Amino acid sequence: MSENKGYMIITMGDAAGIGPEIVLKSIKNYYPQFSKPIIIGSLEVFQMTSEIIDSKLILKKVKNPDDGDYDPGVVNILDIGEPSLEGISMGEVSSASGKASFLAVQKAHQMSLDHNVKAIISAPIHKQAMKEAGYSFVDETQMMSHLTGSSNPIMLLISDSMRMGTIFPLHLSLKEACENVSAEKIFISLQIIRENLQKFNIPNPIIAVAALNPHGGEGGILGTEEITEIIPGIKLAKEKGWDVRGPFPADTLFYKAVKGEFDGILTMYHDQGRIAMKTSDFGKIIIAMIGVPVPFLTVAHGTAHDIAGKGIADPSNFIHILKFADKLKQ
């Protein structure tokens, strides 16, 4: 395998969930062609998972990514030693699995500082398990901000029909989200989304901005945020020469997006875009953390504790992410 291929780092996710299973199934179904994949997690957990799904893949323990055997049929695992099988029960929330999922992502970030890393891909993590392990991150954006020092990471949801981000921070109550809308945050969010769409091979992206209020506020009758914050934020972007359009009422914006009128969308709060995307493309969505040094990708589904350890998890969303990450520009 060519030495100029960057590493694709895959982290275990929550060990008591379906993460290890979908990782092994995905590597079996799609071995990256333009990247060197290495998994970070508990070798012991992956050995158990391999037995459950009757995998024929060879699990190779490595201490350094340069020691890996990057050929189909071999899975290189950088063993962090946690959690041990004694520390977890499949399908149950535990501080041990929460701690291990964070340590794996932390190790991946550290590797990205010293190696040519194309992307970090995380199997699903469990927020309650991480909380029980003593971590106070509300979501992956806060975790990556803590690890990388990036102040404004954004989750970009990517499907075949849409690419959608939300102004930061993401996880707020609806009341807090309305108060969070500002021209400055809209401009910065547009800048981050635009720069990363260019990395995703869209040189001059058209980005649509969603209105906050019904019918775009009806000239201030149904809300003034469009007038005082959203339109000024868009104006700042247009002054840079960017192709930014809107604000569009959210009840028609996604119809236009599905038809391919835009390359990206900026929404004002969590559910505004996610309802539309998950209705249209559930199971085919990639979550890309942007505004961080190395793209951080994960699935749009959870740890599925109810089926963990049964060998029946569907890896299709994770396979979709591997294919996407494999084609990213360095």
Side-chain angles (χ1 to χ4, degrees):
M1 183 170 281
S2 174
E3 288 302 317
N4 63 0
K5 295 182 179 180
Y7 291 106
M8 178 190 293
I9 305 178
I10 302 168
T11 63
M12 173 179 59
D14 189 85
I18 61 171
E21 178 181 339
I22 62 174
V23 168
L24 291 183
K25 286 181 175 179
S26 298
I27 290 290
K28 176 186 176 182
N29 282 276
Y30 180 79
Y31 194 90
Q33 302 175 44
F34 310 109
S35 316
K36 296 187 283 188
I38 182 165
I39 297 172
I40 300 179
S42 166
L43 177 62
E44 192 176 19
V45 169
F46 279 102
Q47 288 171 333
M48 176 192 69
T49 303
S50 181
E51 293 178 4
I52 291 173
I53 64 175
D54 193 26
S55 173
K56 307 304 181 186
L57 295 170
I58 298 170
L59 306 184
K60 179 179 179 179
K61 182 178 178 180
V62 298
K63 293 183 179 180
N64 187 292
D66 297 330
D67 299 332
D69 182 356
Y70 297 99
D71 289 309
V74 179
V75 177
N76 300 289
I77 299 178
L78 199 157
D79 184 18
I80 59 173
E82 296 190 42
S84 66
L85 293 181
E86 291 78 14
I88 63 166
S89 295
M90 295 304 294
E92 295 184 9
V93 176
S94 71
S95 60
S97 59
K99 178 183 178 183
S101 61
F102 173 76
L103 292 177
V105 175
Q106 182 181 56
K107 182 65 176 178
H109 168 63
Q110 292 170 347
M111 281 178 53
S112 73
L113 300 177
D114 301 320
H115 296 82
N116 178 19
V117 173
K118 180 182 287 189
I120 297 171
I121 306 174
S122 175
I125 62 175
H126 198 287
K127 295 179 180 65
Q128 183 183 345
M130 291 186 67
K131 184 176 181 180
E132 291 191 6
Y135 304 110
S136 58
F137 310 121
V138 173
D139 54 31
E140 291 89 341
T141 58
Q142 285 192 3
M143 178 175 64
M144 293 308 294
S145 179
H146 168 78
L147 289 173
T148 67
S150 299
S151 58
N152 304 313
I154 290 175
M155 279 188 188
L156 186 71
L157 273 63
I158 302 170
S159 71
D160 290 340
S161 60
M162 287 180 275
R163 304 168 195 89
M164 184 276 301
T166 303
I167 62 172
F168 57 89
L170 176 62
H171 286 102
L172 299 172
S173 70
L174 187 54
K175 179 181 179 181
E176 290 172 324
C178 292
E179 297 169 348
N180 182 58
V181 175
S182 74
E184 180 183 15
K185 289 187 176 183
I186 288 166
F187 173 74
I188 294 172
S189 298
L190 287 168
Q191 182 180 36
I192 294 170
I193 290 173
R194 184 177 186 274
E195 288 174 353
N196 282 272
L197 289 177
Q198 290 176 323
K199 292 179 183 178
F200 299 159
N201 303 308
I202 304 172
N204 298 297
I206 301 169
I207 305 175
V209 179
L212 175 68
N213 295 298
H215 308 294
E218 290 278 20
I221 297 174
L222 298 178
T224 61
E225 287 85 358
E226 284 74 20
I227 297 170
T228 62
E229 304 296 343
I230 299 176
I231 292 174
I234 293 173
K235 184 179 178 181
L236 290 172
K238 287 185 174 180
E239 289 174 354
K240 294 286 187 180
W242 307 342
D243 194 343
V244 178
R245 305 177 186 182
F248 297 98
D251 60 355
T252 57
L253 170 59
F254 296 97
Y255 172 72
K256 297 174 184 289
V258 169
K259 292 197 302 179
E261 293 188 22
F262 314 115
D263 298 305
I265 303 168
L266 177 65
T267 60
M268 298 297 107
Y269 58 91
H270 183 281
D271 285 4
Q272 189 178 44
R274 281 160 175 75
I275 291 173
M277 286 201 69
K278 291 187 178 182
T279 299
S280 173
D281 297 311
F282 191 81
K284 301 176 182 178
I285 297 172
I286 297 168
I287 296 179
M289 197 75 58
I290 58 177
V292 292
V294 174
F296 176 89
L297 311 175
T298 189
V299 291
H301 61 71
T303 55
H305 276 178
D306 56 322
I307 61 170
K310 298 181 180 179
I312 59 173
D314 181 1
S316 57
N317 195 188
F318 206 84
I319 293 170
H320 191 54
I321 294 177
L322 291 187
K323 292 179 178 179
F324 177 84
D326 198 25
K327 296 175 183 177
L328 286 177
K329 290 183 178 180
Q330 290 291 137

